[in-house]
Amino acid sequence: MKLSFYGAAGEVTGSCSLLETSSKKILVDCGAFQGGEYVEERNADPFVFDSKELTAVILTHAHLDHVGRLPELVKSGFSGFIYATPPTADLARLILEDAFEIMSYNNRKFHTPLLYSQEDIARVVGRFRTVGYYEDFTLSAPADDKKNPVTVKFYDAGHIFGSAFVEVRVDGKKIIFSGDVGNVNTPILRDTDALPEDVDVLICESTYGDRLHDTKQNREEAIKQIILSAVRRGGALLIPSFSVERTQELLYTLNNLIDRKKELPGDLQIYLDSPLAINATEVYERYSEYFDQEAKQYIFSGDDLFKFTGLHVCRTREESKKINNTPGQKIIIAGAGMMNGGRILHHALRHLSDERATLFITGYQAPGTLGRRILEGASMVNIFGEEIRVHCHLDFTGVLSAHADKAKLMQWIKNNGHPPKQIYLNHGEPAALSALQKSVSEVLNVPAVIADPEKVTEL
């Protein structure tokens, strides 16, 4: 059995792992590379493996860096099934369609290449096969391979809606692909499931493997204080937000602070300026059985989790443009979360130079993105060819992260004294990978290897 990493090895984005058994080739995720121009150019590279030979694709969740190259995969000949939880399948379709719109816009404006077509996206959607958590399923196989079946099961990763870590059982071994492991006490989502016992190999993410989130700060209180501080400054509050999970968490929290608890001014004007986030929120509403107990109780009491006083939903470009002409203070929630595209750029162009304005960064920013440059202290940035001075106030908090920090990852891997026998670390920058590798090896006494994109590993 062989394991290869074709993305998210020594970096965070582009998740793509290939597991080869005696008769099958199974791809776990097929994500886009995100970051600066050089990084994203890699999305045009041909796949190193033969797409026609793949038996199946298994998706851990719907973020673009885990699903973004699926259209290229079917375009290059993949004809098998793509397995995912029901919410992941619905969200992946939305994310791929949104990515195609952005790619088309960049093609028209900057003559960047079109990597795939809408027809390729439709073919991806046609290959989806949905499976719920904890349901064993066997990958399709030739008739003569019934003696060595590959059995798969999804567990709740608690990262975003519908996210999963994946158990693969084959040739007497139990292999786990973590996907992305969720943070603690995230609104709406259930907690991350514990690892099964007797895991032979764990492929584990390491995004925050070198740092701890501020667990002393309550996330709802953190959001409230940032908003109140922005109100006192008198300018706009910009929140570049990931359209899946972070936006819904913000809406849920704002609902609580404005309508339930009355802890924020009732006259705040809040604009959700992201068609993708609006559509993704509708997916959440379709699958309320995936909510945690608190969210379910609110629904049972008749509460609409994602609607509240002062919220304006902006689907069209015309509605988005009208935000600029709205007098008074405003909160603008818009994608993309790393400020590497989307409507947030138009608002940033208008407000970053305003000393009264606030930019609230809510999650991981990949190297090369506008969000990363601002977070690292850039005083001047380029947006749509214009040089913009950054004079606004910058806020950042790790409590809103969708990723587990080092403490949560270590606790999850430890698994109440039943850690995996072998660990491979992916989905992290070099410092995070090294820090987590050292802790796992020294504290848990488990062999931990950093994923190498140049190496095929024998399991």
Side-chain angles (χ1 to χ4, degrees), residues 65-87:
D65 64 325
H66 290 257
V67 304
R69 298 195 73 191
L70 287 174
E72 295 174 73
L73 194 72
V74 298
K75 182 179 178 181
S76 63
F78 172 69
S79 60
F81 293 139
I82 303 169
Y83 296 91
T85 67

Side-chain angles (χ1 to χ4, degrees), residues 176-196:
I176 299 285
F177 292 85
S178 76
D180 288 345
V181 180
N183 202 349
V184 297
N185 301 322
T186 303
I188 309 170
L189 303 180
R190 298 187 295 233
D191 292 338
T192 306
D193 284 328
L195 277 172

Side-chain angles (χ1 to χ4, degrees), residues 121-142:
I121 295 175
R123 290 166 63 199
V124 168
V125 173
R127 306 312 301 166
F128 280 141
R129 295 296 181 270
T130 58
V131 184
Y133 293 131
Y134 322 122
E135 299 177 18
D136 283 335
F137 61 98
T138 302
L139 300 185
S140 57

Side-chain angles (χ1 to χ4, degrees), residues 309-329:
T309 304
L311 177 65
H312 306 272
V313 173
C314 305
R315 285 186 181 272
T316 68
R317 287 190 176 91
E318 290 69 28
E319 290 170 328
S320 177
K321 291 175 182 177
K322 286 180 181 177
I323 298 173
N324 296 329
N325 302 320
T326 304
Q329 286 185 290

Side-chain angles (χ1 to χ4, degrees), residues 27-328:
L27 203 64
V28 179
D29 291 333
C30 189
F33 295 98
Q34 294 177 286
E37 183 178 344
Y38 169 73
V39 173
E40 296 188 0
E41 284 178 352
R42 294 163 61 194
N43 291 318
D45 293 343
F47 293 108
V48 177
F49 50 84
D50 187 344
S51 304
K52 300 183 185 70
E53 295 180 354
L54 296 177
T55 306
V57 176
I58 302 171
L59 299 183
T60 62
H61 63 283
H63 274 152
L64 190 67
D65 64 325
H66 290 257
V67 304
R69 298 195 73 191
L70 287 174
E72 295 174 73
L73 194 72
V74 298
K75 182 179 178 181
S76 63
F78 172 69
S79 60
F81 293 139
I82 303 169
Y83 296 91
T85 67
T88 292
D90 284 6
L91 291 169
R93 176 181 62 81
L94 296 176
I95 285 172
L96 291 174
E97 289 173 349
D98 181 74
F100 180 79
E101 284 191 25
I102 294 171
M103 183 173 62
S104 299
Y105 172 83
N106 290 337
N107 173 258
R108 293 191 302 271
K109 191 154 183 93
F110 307 113
H111 308 293
T112 55
L114 284 175
L115 302 181
Y116 52 85
S117 67
Q118 288 179 311
E119 289 74 20
D120 293 320
I121 295 175
R123 290 166 63 199
V124 168
V125 173
R127 306 312 301 166
F128 280 141
R129 295 296 181 270
T130 58
V131 184
Y133 293 131
Y134 322 122
E135 299 177 18
D136 283 335
F137 61 98
T138 302
L139 300 185
S140 57
D144 61 353
D145 190 45
K146 294 185 184 292
K147 292 183 180 179
N148 294 299
V150 176
T151 305
V152 182
K153 184 187 293 186
F154 290 134
Y155 292 84
D156 196 337
H159 171 59
I160 66 169
F161 203 54
S163 62
F165 64 86
V166 180
E167 175 187 280
V168 180
R169 300 193 303 275
V170 59
D171 294 341
K173 289 191 174 182
K174 186 183 293 184
I175 303 165
I176 299 285
F177 292 85
S178 76
D180 288 345
V181 180
N183 202 349
V184 297
N185 301 322
T186 303
I188 309 170
L189 303 180
R190 298 187 295 233
D191 292 338
T192 306
D193 284 328
L195 277 172
E197 293 186 10
D198 302 319
V199 173
D200 294 287
V201 180
L202 169 65
I203 295 89
C204 186
E205 70 116 324
S206 315
T207 308
Y208 287 126
D210 61 343
R211 69 197 76 176
L212 301 175
H213 299 321
D214 184 1
T215 55
K216 295 178 182 178
Q217 191 178 32
N218 176 278
R219 71 178 65 214
E220 184 175 286
E221 184 65 21
I223 292 172
K224 183 178 81 170
Q225 294 304 326
I226 287 169
I227 291 174
L228 290 175
S229 295
V231 168
R232 287 193 291 269
R233 286 186 200 97
L237 169 58
L238 305 185
I239 307 179
S241 189
F242 300 91
S243 297
V244 177
E245 192 275 327
R246 198 65 42 80
T247 294
Q248 290 74 32
E249 178 184 339
L250 282 167
L251 295 177
Y252 181 90
T253 303
L254 288 168
N255 183 7
N256 205 29
L257 290 171
I258 293 172
D259 281 356
R260 294 193 202 111
K261 295 185 175 180
K262 315 293 185 186
E263 293 183 4
L264 287 176
D267 59 352
L268 274 176
Q269 301 304 300
I270 301 164
Y271 296 88
L272 177 56
D273 190 20
S274 169
L276 175 56
I278 296 165
N279 292 332
T281 303
E282 293 173 354
V283 173
Y284 274 61
E285 293 170 335
R286 283 203 294 273
Y287 295 104
S288 59
E289 67 270 23
Y290 283 78
F291 291 176
D292 68 6
Q293 196 57 41
E294 180 184 65
K296 286 180 180 178
Q297 288 174 350
Y298 285 139
I299 292 174
F300 292 151
S301 68
D303 195 349
D304 190 325
L305 302 183
F306 306 114
K307 293 184 179 138
F308 48 87
T309 304
L311 177 65
H312 306 272
V313 173
C314 305
R315 285 186 181 272
T316 68
R317 287 190 176 91
E318 290 69 28
E319 290 170 328
S320 177
K321 291 175 182 177
K322 286 180 181 177
I323 298 173
N324 296 329
N325 302 320
T326 304

